[in-house]
Amino acid sequence: MSHTLFDTAPDFSQPIAVLKHCHDRIRKQLETLRKLLAHLPRHGADAEAQQAAQAVLKYFNNAAHLHHQDEEHNLLPMLQATARGADAALLAELTPAILAGHEQMDRDWSIIKSQLEQIANGSGSALSADDVARFCEAYAAHMVVEEGQIAPMAKRLFSPDQMAQLGSAMQVRRGILPALPTSQVPEQHAAPVNHTVADGVVLADLRLDYGRASLTEDDVLDDPIAQFGKWFEEALHAKVNEPNAMSVATVDADGKPSSRIVLIKQYDHRGFTWYTNYESQKGRQLRANPHAALLFFWSELERQVRIEGKVVQTAAEESDTYFYSRPVKSQIAAIASRQSAPIANREQMEANYDAVAAVSGEHPLRPAHWGGYRLDPERIEFWQGRRSRFHDRIVYVKQADGSWVKERLQP
């Protein structure tokens, strides 16, 4: 068995070529694995077998997972944000199988890894032909799909800026580039300022240049609720962290604003709905001023959605339906907590919970002070990050007759 020591990789300015290079290296290691399988019955775990096992272990322990992460965290989400029509349909069909393939290969590798470790240290010589065949076949099929479908789509759809974004993310993942841009520590004679973070990184310099997608007037749907639904589905498919999390900003009677993160529970033509304690800070502020603003930020897709409008309470029946769909412990917590009110300590909170649980049993009743709010939108803005802060912004404004007018805003 022979092992290539030098393997020249393409430059990261060609990220799709780098991904193909990763595939070629994987193929070499799979071939080494097959040769090892044939070698062991004749020679056992000799020096050559140990060297081969060590080479395979080194690659799949240290490098293969980076290739999976390139796809899961960058390539596929970028394609999902960019693809339209037939491309989007094909991507929706292929992506679940690709992700499932990653999980299957990881499981198969954990089985083979333990066998290779024993071969590598000379303590064993058993390598399952079935395990090797399943692992190699899964990788081979996976690479065929990516090289035949995903890579050509990326090369056809990605702009130069998007290719640069993908290449930069791959370099960050491999430690070639720092995760965040840094600046020099301010000179000692400069006046002291409070804008540094740690290790000399200046807060004003912490910026990420966007470039995964664009947004034109022709890209968006005529109905902003439908457009929100489209983007929300794309956030789900891209596995955005908590895509249903939104900031709710309210203003009190004195005009002082505050905001917090809540989870949206429903959206439709009537508006955007969440649930909370009506006696909380936001509840009191909404009684004083029923106007509010919502903000969704999906950093993985470099997107924001800003929504402004008037808030009303949902009907009691809707609040009941959602309250009783929650886990019993969450129902009890909603009853026990006087949200936003001060309390002495955690122990008192838990004592309140226990007291409510003892009374409520398995069937708590929704308290009158807990229920839903729905924001009826008057203005919805879709924001897509672009290079050099020259972002795309399309806003919809509701007219007196209920129709929507959309226009582009400057960044």
Side-chain angles (χ1 to χ4, degrees), residues 24-262:
D24 291 342
R25 295 186 66 193
I26 289 170
R27 288 187 175 97
K28 289 180 181 180
Q29 295 303 327
L30 295 179
E31 182 60 26
T32 299
L33 191 57
R34 294 188 187 97
K35 289 180 179 179
L36 177 60
L37 185 63
H39 178 93
L40 287 169
R42 296 194 300 271
H43 307 285
D46 61 3
E48 192 173 5
Q50 291 179 38
Q51 183 182 5
Q54 290 164 6
V56 175
L57 282 166
K58 181 178 180 181
Y59 183 78
F60 282 103
N61 281 340
N62 299 330
H65 67 284
L66 298 176
H67 177 60
H68 290 179
Q69 291 172 10
D70 290 335
E71 297 165 0
E72 293 179 6
H73 300 302
N74 301 106
L75 178 60
L76 292 176
M78 289 174 68
L79 279 173
Q80 288 168 331
T82 305
R84 298 291 184 269
D87 288 324
L90 177 60
L91 195 63
E93 177 184 346
L94 296 177
T95 298
I98 292 173
L99 298 179
H102 287 174
E103 294 177 359
Q104 181 62 52
M105 287 182 283
D106 288 343
R107 288 192 295 268
D108 292 340
W109 171 244
S110 67
I111 296 171
I112 294 175
K113 177 183 176 182
S114 61
Q115 300 172 27
L116 289 173
E117 287 172 340
Q118 294 183 34
I119 296 168
N121 62 29
S123 64
S125 59
L127 185 59
S128 167
D130 289 341
D131 292 339
V132 170
R134 184 173 62 251
F135 183 65
C136 293
E137 288 169 6
Y139 253 112
H142 177 77
M143 291 186 290
V144 166
V145 170
E146 292 196 342
E147 292 175 9
Q149 306 276 6
I150 300 299
M153 186 186 299
K155 287 196 284 189
R156 178 164 46 82
L157 296 182
F158 284 174
S159 67
D161 282 349
Q162 287 174 299
M163 286 295 187
Q165 181 83 11
L166 177 58
S168 294
M170 292 166 67
Q171 292 180 81
V172 168
R173 184 164 292 113
R174 287 156 178 79
I176 300 170
L177 291 179
L180 286 173
T182 59
S183 65
Q184 298 296 321
V185 179
E187 294 185 14
Q188 296 302 313
H189 63 266
V193 290
N194 294 321
H195 62 188
T196 58
V197 189
D199 299 325
V201 178
V202 178
L203 186 61
D205 289 344
L206 290 179
R207 65 179 68 234
L208 177 67
D209 210 10
Y210 300 122
R212 288 185 174 174
S214 61
L215 186 67
T216 71
E217 291 82 350
D218 293 331
D219 290 333
V220 294
L221 304 174
D222 291 334
D223 181 357
I225 306 300
Q227 178 63 33
F228 177 85
K230 180 176 181 292
W231 268 23
F232 191 81
E233 288 295 322
E234 290 174 2
L236 290 173
H237 292 156
K239 296 187 175 180
V240 166
N241 183 39
E242 290 202 289
N244 54 332
M246 63 182 184
S247 167
V248 177
T250 53
V251 178
D252 67 13
D254 296 325
K256 297 178 180 178
S258 61
S259 64
R260 73 287 292 162
I261 300 295
V262 304

Side-chain angles (χ1 to χ4, degrees), residues 265-371:
K265 295 302 178 182
Q266 183 181 5
Y267 66 90
D268 53 31
H269 68 279
R270 298 174 300 170
F272 299 79
T273 301
W274 70 97
Y275 292 85
T276 189
N277 188 313
Y278 291 143
E279 300 303 323
S280 64
Q281 181 195 45
K282 56 185 168 295
R284 295 193 304 272
Q285 291 182 343
L286 286 170
R287 280 199 299 274
N289 184 340
H291 295 277
L294 312 179
L295 172 65
F296 293 85
F297 179 49
W298 299 317
S299 61
E300 295 89 338
L301 297 178
E302 300 170 352
R303 288 174 173 173
Q304 297 183 66
V305 183
R306 300 172 58 194
I307 307 167
E308 299 168 8
K310 188 174 181 179
V311 177
V312 297
Q313 292 186 10
T314 60
E317 294 79 7
E318 287 185 77
S319 295
D320 284 343
T321 298
Y322 177 68
F323 183 81
Y324 295 121
S325 74
R326 306 176 86 208
V328 171
K329 290 183 178 180
S330 297
Q331 296 176 18
I332 293 172
I335 299 170
S337 174
R338 293 178 58 207
Q339 192 177 98
S340 302
I343 194 167
N345 49 49
R346 177 78 189 188
E347 289 72 20
Q348 184 60 56
M349 287 172 53
E350 293 176 352
N352 292 348
Y353 178 95
D354 292 340
V356 171
V359 173
S360 301
E362 292 299 311
H363 302 286
L365 295 177
R366 179 180 71 85
H369 64 259
W370 194 98

